[in-house]
Amino acid sequence: MTRVTPLIMCGGAGTRLWPASRESAPKQFINLLGARSTFQETVLRVADPTLFARPVVITNAEYRHMVSDQLQAIGIQADILLEPARRDSGPAIAAATSFIASNQADATVMVLAADHIVRDQNAFRAATRVAAEAAAGGAIVTFGIVPDHPATGYGYIARGSETSPGIHVVEAFVEKPDAATARDYVERGYLWNSGNFVFRADAMLEEYSRFDPETVKAAGEAVARSTRDLGWVVLDEEAFSACTAISIDFAVMEKSDRVAVVPVEMGWSDVGSWHAVWELSDKDSEGNAAIGDAIFLEARNNLVSARNLVCLVGVDNLAVIETDDATLVFDRSRGDSVRALVKDLASQGRKEVVEHMEVFRPWGSYQRVDMGERFQVKRIVVKPGGRLSLQKHFHRAEHWVVVRGVALVTIEERELVLRENESTYIPQGAIHRLENPGKIPLELIEVQSGSYLGEDDIIRIEDVYNRK
Amino acid sequence: MTRVTPLIMCGGAGTRLWPASRESAPKQFINLLGARSTFQETVLRVADPTLFARPVVITNAEYRHMVSDQLQAIGIQADILLEPARRDSGPAIAAATSFIASNQADATVMVLAADHIVRDQNAFRAATRVAAEAAAGGAIVTFGIVPDHPATGYGYIARGSETSPGIHVVEAFVEKPDAATARDYVERGYLWNSGNFVFRADAMLEEYSRFDPETVKAAGEAVARSTRDLGWVVLDEEAFSACTAISIDFAVMEKSDRVAVVPVEMGWSDVGSWHAVWELSDKDSEGNAAIGDAIFLEARNNLVSARNLVCLVGVDNLAVIETDDATLVFDRSRGDSVRALVKDLASQGRKEVVEHMEVFRPWGSYQRVDMGERFQVKRIVVKPGGRLSLQKHFHRAEHWVVVRGVALVTIEERELVLRENESTYIPQGAIHRLENPGKIPLELIEVQSGSYLGEDDIIRIEDVYNRK
């Protein structure tokens, strides 16, 4: 069997898992259910070199550092394609498939969402083999999940006859049903549309071209004219922007007669809501699930995700999601209302929807830990080799105290090395730079002092990450 | 009319309003419902010099700085008596009454709990006048609250005939009833026992002596042998400890035939639970009350007390109390279970039951804002004139950055003045002191660095507050 090239779709920014998932670090990048993000789990799921080739990741430019960092953390190398504009899944798949086809026209490609989980790896691998064999013959094979309950949150696939072992004809894709229709679908053996599928690169491009040749052409040009930036493949903005924004379902899957389905039971979930997180979590004898430090008294069937101590007393069926700067308490079954809430908050311009307290940067991260009228305290972590821009501030002075690792500090013409428990001072207006020349993360406490402390009081004179 | 001497009882440490109320700063000292604590509101309620004399406050030694600071903040002077041991309300009242009687034997005294609120000041003042007149004649007059619902959380007073305008005979004190009995009590015109009352000092001491002469004698000796410490009156420990621990209700009120009651409707509450806080708060059209930044969607009759953003979606009748280090979510009607929870937490030795994130000290306060394996960051606030002990630490070095005000710093033989945006370094083992010589609060950020960062790594060489 030819090896399968994983194509990992990593650009989404869901709101249903707010306040843990936010625009600046959406759910595929956060450790929602364990020590790794679902993006990392997805990459590791397709890391076996006997079955899979080097993965391709396509993501939004905003998430490029996060993708690189998370791959590095698990020791996996990948080609990372950056979308210069949001055009939904169709053009992203067309471009990434063109990229793969430019090396090997008949490569077998598996599209995987970065925010799904799969618990039964053996079932996944078995289904992959079946799908890859059918894909080699020209089929576009989608993974149809055998339902374990009449869910109303997924689209369904009506399967027809079995054309080869494990492969069925797709009779129809149908939209998310109401409860009664869902029960009917499950009885009739319909499958959930998981949005993960396998195809030969040339087959996908041919099919897409049948329905929308302009978009496939534009996507191909976006690849041909792509540029390299610090190892990322930046798709050409003009060409990519010319693609019609459309999901791959509407663009190809629901139109093509080459589509087939492999029914699979693999402990799959799209982790689409806090309710799903509760379902996926270990629970105590009263049905309570805790991520973090939670205490339950006379309470049943609750989910708590907590950073500090959270106590629930005399309540049932709640989800309580506590983060550094926002807490959400809701009836676990009311996920749709959470979406409405987050929309409301966004329209009010609330920063809690967009930003995490921990802000990720190419060189590491920072987090505000205290703030007053004329001061601000941040904990700054710089990765080994990380290098902040050469910069200055008009309105603030900064005190730096190294609490871990080694810092190389430039202030005007002077260079100095600071070790743990050493400090320095950056006067207002002084040109300065911070770097980590060491082998372990550098942590420092920064006390900013001044009349204006906004992030936009920064003049970048030089930046290794090409930021403006 | 002779002026009434307020006697404010301030030593309690309730747990029913956890996590806002904690042992280190219980509910009478926190700003639960407004800009002032209920202790401050109570003091201000009896501040009118035409009606009231200089107040006497009796409190636990642990709270002495908090009492002094909160009085200073509202510009009120008082005699502050410190109980060297917990002996319940009887001995506290006996000692404080002896203290008052030592200046004026027939002073009229009003006992007030520091954690109650009264909304109708006019009704309170009218009842005070009626009670004071009866007290001048030798009666011990308790404030009986006219019930507005059949509460099960209070003791009741069965009143008899009216002996003078507004003054009734007390037929009996009865314990907290069950719901059916409470309805019966309300129908029969019983009153709530508020625990606030008025008497002549000599009359109270006579009555107490009839039932327990040893305790009154010991309380008098505790006053006679009291010492002064920075302005506080420290009751003699040996004498005070000899008093029998008993509530004033059991010691005197339920035994004396000089007890009378003045029925009063004055918008009274003992703020005994989060449910009471909800009742006392302003609510939106859906019955939701918010202290802090709360958003409600499809939610009714909830209470939120929040430091950060708290969102409630699709839930009813909850109380959500979010603090810096602990969040409590519970069915508003289940206050008793909260008590059980706090007891559980205490038995587990959880610091969240005892300490606030903001820790009060005689010289000001501090709050931990960040912590890592080998470092800790604190924001320290020193009051004008505040002076930390001359001290040293074996295991940690400290970096200080002044962000507001002026600091006078002593390090070994050296004295230096630091202004906003200036910093200094205290090496491990160096003898040092921090003072605020200025007229505004001094704020500084302290970064501690070392292998052991516990509060107990401190050697105090000299301390103006006489701490060990």
Side-chain angles (χ1 to χ4, degrees):
Chain A
M1 191 189 97
T2 174
R3 291 200 304 165
V4 176
T5 301
L7 166 52
I8 296 160
M9 308 285 287
C10 211
T15 58
R16 282 182 298 175
L17 294 184
W18 185 84
S21 171
R22 304 186 186 186
E23 275 175 48
S24 66
K27 69 171 180 165
Q28 62 268 29
F29 297 119
I30 59 178
N31 299 355
L32 208 55
L33 285 158
R36 297 199 197 91
S37 69
T38 55
F39 166 62
Q40 289 174 315
E41 294 288 355
T42 303
V43 172
L44 290 171
R45 193 182 313 136
V46 292
D48 175 359
T50 63
L51 205 51
F52 296 99
R54 174 182 167 107
V56 175
V57 177
I58 184 161
T59 189
N60 192 281
E62 197 185 332
Y63 305 138
R64 64 195 190 280
H65 293 288
M66 213 169 299
V67 165
S68 295
D69 288 353
Q70 295 206 350
L71 287 173
Q72 194 186 15
I74 55 173
I76 300 270
Q77 299 206 313
D79 292 307
I80 304 170
L81 274 55
L82 304 186
E83 297 169 84
R86 289 188 190 270
R87 286 290 179 278
D88 212 333
S89 57
I93 289 172
T97 304
S98 292
F99 175 83
I100 294 164
S102 67
N103 286 317
Q104 187 196 347
D106 66 348
T108 304
V109 179
M110 172 185 278
V111 170
L112 298 116
D115 57 352
H116 293 182
I117 72 156
V118 169
R119 300 224 227 171
D120 184 343
Q121 304 307 324
N122 288 333
F124 169 75
R125 293 164 63 93
T128 297
R129 285 198 181 84
V130 169
E133 198 173 307
I140 296 173
V141 186
T142 187
F143 279 47
I145 309 296
V146 178
D148 59 12
H149 70 283
T152 56
Y154 303 129
Y156 282 71
I157 298 169
R159 61 175 150 177
S161 57
E162 192 167 16
T163 52
S164 64
I167 296 287
H168 289 251
V169 168
V170 170
E171 287 194 339
F173 288 92
V174 293
E175 294 299 300
K176 293 177 187 176
D178 59 28
T181 312
R183 282 193 295 275
D184 180 49
Y185 286 172
V186 171
E187 267 173 35
R188 288 154 69 180
Y190 284 23
L191 304 162
W192 291 338
N193 183 3
S194 73
N196 298 287
F197 39 92
V198 182
F199 49 78
R200 234 174 47 214
D202 52 3
M204 170 56 81
L205 294 174
E206 276 168 36
E207 284 301 283
Y208 208 138
S209 290
R210 277 180 56 203
F211 310 116
D212 184 356
E214 281 74 22
T215 286
V216 174
K217 186 160 170 275
E221 277 168 16
V223 172
R225 294 194 222 141
S226 65
T227 53
R228 293 267 168 174
D229 174 27
L230 303 172
W232 298 297
V233 177
V234 186
L235 296 173
D236 181 71
E237 182 162 3
E238 193 190 337
F240 191 76
S241 298
C243 295
T244 303
I246 186 170
S247 76
I248 192 68
D249 292 292
F250 291 142
V252 176
M253 304 301 283
E254 300 189 8
K255 292 176 181 163
S256 170
D257 51 18
R258 290 163 78 164
V259 170
V261 61
V262 52
V264 57
E265 292 178 86
M266 57 182 186
W268 172 89
S269 168
D270 70 348
V271 200
S273 65
W274 286 115
H275 179 75
V277 173
W278 176 76
E279 286 183 326
L280 292 164
S281 300
D282 294 331
K283 297 170 199 74
D284 67 18
S285 61
E286 307 288 296
N288 296 304
I291 304 163
D293 189 6
I295 291 179
F296 301 94
L297 184 68
E298 301 161 19
R300 284 160 199 272
N301 300 321
N302 300 286
L303 169 70
V304 170
S305 173
R307 210 189 124 272
N308 291 302
L309 173 64
V310 172
C311 301
L312 268 59
V313 177
V315 292
D316 299 335
N317 304 311
L318 294 186
V320 177
I321 315 302
E322 187 246 10
T323 68
D324 277 316
D325 62 346
T327 298
L328 172 65
V329 177
F330 73 107
D331 179 326
R332 199 157 41 69
S333 64
R334 304 280 272 273
D336 288 341
S337 298
V338 171
R339 279 187 116 151
L341 170 81
V342 175
K343 217 174 149 187
D344 278 5
L345 292 173
S347 71
Q348 290 166 33
R350 302 276 319 211
K351 65 173 175 32
E352 291 90 344
V353 174
V354 179
E355 292 167 17
H356 281 266
M357 288 290 277
E358 187 175 6
V359 178
F360 295 95
R361 289 282 182 261
W363 43 261
S365 65
Y366 69 83
Q367 176 154 5
R368 189 173 70 211
V369 297
D370 197 14
M371 185 173 198
E373 215 178 309
R374 288 172 54 81
F375 75 94
Q376 181 165 224
V377 184
K378 288 179 175 175
R379 187 211 310 213
I380 296 175
V381 181
V382 185
K383 297 184 284 200
R387 202 172 185 217
L388 280 70
S389 62
L390 187 68
Q391 57 185 246
K392 66 174 179 178
H393 314 291
F394 288 119
H395 302 289
R396 66 180 190 252
E398 294 173 346
H399 297 257
W400 291 349
V401 182
V402 173
V403 294
R404 185 176 179 223
V406 178
L408 177 60
V409 178
T410 308
I411 306 173
E412 298 288 356
E413 304 302 308
R414 200 160 50 102
E415 269 202 351
L416 63 161
V417 172
L418 295 183
R419 293 182 182 77
E420 188 179 307
N421 196 26
E422 296 180 340
S423 68
T424 192
Y425 173 67
I426 319 291
Q428 271 189 22
I431 292 176
H432 62 279
R433 162 172 266 161
L434 174 65
E435 317 180 33
N436 178 359
K439 297 294 177 200
I440 61 166
L442 158 67
E443 286 186 61
L444 60 82
I445 302 298
E446 174 181 271
V447 181
Q448 301 179 350
S449 180
S451 52
Y452 178 78
L453 302 167
E455 286 301 316
D456 54 351
D457 175 20
I458 185 167
I459 304 287
R460 287 205 179 98
I461 293 131
E462 192 192 305
D463 183 28
V464 291
Y465 309 106
N466 302 337
R467 294 170 300 166
K468 277 133 210 165
Chain B
M1 192 189 100
T2 175
R3 293 201 302 167
V4 176
T5 301
L7 166 51
I8 296 161
M9 308 287 287
C10 211
T15 57
R16 281 183 297 175
L17 293 183
W18 185 84
S21 172
R22 303 187 186 186
E23 277 176 46
S24 67
K27 70 170 180 166
Q28 62 269 29
F29 298 119
I30 59 177
N31 298 356
L32 207 56
L33 285 158
R36 297 198 196 94
S37 69
T38 55
F39 167 61
Q40 289 174 314
E41 295 288 357
T42 303
V43 171
L44 290 171
R45 193 181 312 135
V46 293
D48 176 359
T50 64
L51 206 51
F52 296 100
R54 175 182 167 107
V56 174
V57 177
I58 185 161
T59 188
N60 193 282
E62 198 186 331
Y63 305 138
R64 64 195 190 281
H65 294 287
M66 214 170 296
V67 165
S68 295
D69 288 353
Q70 295 206 350
L71 288 173
Q72 194 186 15
I74 55 174
I76 300 269
Q77 298 206 313
D79 292 307
I80 304 170
L81 274 54
L82 304 185
E83 297 169 84
R86 287 188 192 270
R87 285 291 180 276
D88 212 330
S89 57
I93 289 171
T97 303
S98 292
F99 175 82
I100 295 165
S102 67
N103 286 317
Q104 187 196 347
D106 65 348
T108 303
V109 179
M110 173 185 276
V111 170
L112 298 117
D115 57 352
H116 293 183
I117 72 156
V118 168
R119 299 224 228 172
D120 184 343
Q121 303 308 325
N122 288 333
F124 169 73
R125 292 164 63 91
T128 298
R129 284 198 181 86
V130 169
E133 197 174 307
I140 296 174
V141 186
T142 187
F143 278 46
I145 309 296
V146 178
D148 59 11
H149 71 281
T152 57
Y154 304 127
Y156 282 71
I157 298 170
R159 61 175 149 178
S161 58
E162 193 168 13
T163 52
S164 63
I167 297 287
H168 290 250
V169 168
V170 170
E171 287 193 339
F173 289 91
V174 294
E175 293 300 299
K176 293 177 188 176
D178 60 27
T181 312
R183 281 192 295 275
D184 181 47
Y185 286 172
V186 171
E187 269 173 35
R188 289 156 68 180
Y190 284 24
L191 304 162
W192 291 338
N193 183 3
S194 74
N196 298 286
F197 39 90
V198 182
F199 49 78
R200 232 175 48 212
D202 52 4
M204 171 55 82
L205 294 174
E206 276 168 35
E207 283 300 283
Y208 208 137
S209 289
R210 278 180 55 203
F211 311 116
D212 185 355
E214 281 74 25
T215 287
V216 174
K217 186 160 171 275
E221 276 167 19
V223 173
R225 293 194 222 142
S226 65
T227 52
R228 294 266 167 175
D229 174 26
L230 303 172
W232 299 297
V233 178
V234 186
L235 297 173
D236 181 72
E237 183 163 2
E238 195 190 335
F240 191 78
S241 299
C243 296
T244 304
I246 187 171
S247 76
I248 192 70
D249 292 292
F250 291 143
V252 177
M253 304 302 281
E254 300 189 8
K255 293 177 179 163
S256 169
D257 50 18
R258 290 163 79 164
V259 171
V261 62
V262 51
V264 58
E265 293 177 85
M266 58 182 186
W268 171 89
S269 168
D270 70 346
V271 200
S273 65
W274 287 113
H275 180 75
V277 173
W278 175 76
E279 286 183 326
L280 292 164
S281 300
D282 294 332
K283 298 169 199 73
D284 67 17
S285 60
E286 308 287 299
N288 296 304
I291 303 163
D293 189 6
I295 291 179
F296 301 94
L297 183 68
E298 302 162 18
R300 284 160 199 271
N301 300 321
N302 301 286
L303 169 70
V304 169
S305 172
R307 212 189 122 271
N308 291 301
L309 173 64
V310 173
C311 301
L312 267 59
V313 177
V315 292
D316 299 335
N317 304 310
L318 295 187
V320 178
I321 316 302
E322 186 244 12
T323 67
D324 276 317
D325 61 348
T327 297
L328 172 64
V329 177
F330 73 107
D331 180 325
R332 198 157 41 68
S333 64
R334 306 278 273 272
D336 287 342
S337 299
V338 171
R339 279 188 115 150
L341 170 80
V342 175
K343 216 173 148 186
D344 279 5
L345 293 173
S347 71
Q348 291 166 32
R350 301 275 322 209
K351 65 173 173 34
E352 292 90 345
V353 173
V354 178
E355 291 166 19
H356 281 266
M357 289 290 275
E358 187 175 5
V359 178
F360 296 96
R361 288 282 182 259
W363 44 260
S365 66
Y366 69 83
Q367 177 154 8
R368 189 173 69 211
V369 298
D370 197 15
M371 187 172 195
E373 216 178 307
R374 289 172 54 81
F375 75 94
Q376 181 165 225
V377 184
K378 287 181 178 174
R379 187 209 312 209
I380 296 175
V381 181
V382 184
K383 297 185 284 200
R387 202 170 183 218
L388 280 72
S389 61
L390 188 68
Q391 57 186 243
K392 66 174 180 178
H393 314 292
F394 289 120
H395 302 289
R396 67 180 189 250
E398 294 172 346
H399 297 257
W400 290 348
V401 182
V402 173
V403 294
R404 187 176 178 222
V406 178
L408 177 60
V409 178
T410 307
I411 306 174
E412 297 287 356
E413 305 302 308
R414 199 160 49 103
E415 270 203 353
L416 63 161
V417 172
L418 295 182
R419 294 185 180 74
E420 188 180 308
N421 196 26
E422 296 180 341
S423 69
T424 192
Y425 173 66
I426 320 288
Q428 271 188 24
I431 292 176
H432 62 280
R433 163 172 267 161
L434 173 65
E435 318 179 33
N436 179 0
K439 299 293 178 200
I440 60 166
L442 158 69
E443 286 185 61
L444 58 81
I445 302 298
E446 173 180 272
V447 182
Q448 301 180 350
S449 181
S451 53
Y452 177 77
L453 302 167
E455 286 302 317
D456 54 352
D457 174 18
I458 185 166
I459 304 288
R460 287 204 179 98
I461 295 132
E462 191 193 308
D463 182 27
V464 291
Y465 308 107
N466 302 336
R467 295 170 300 167
K468 276 131 209 165

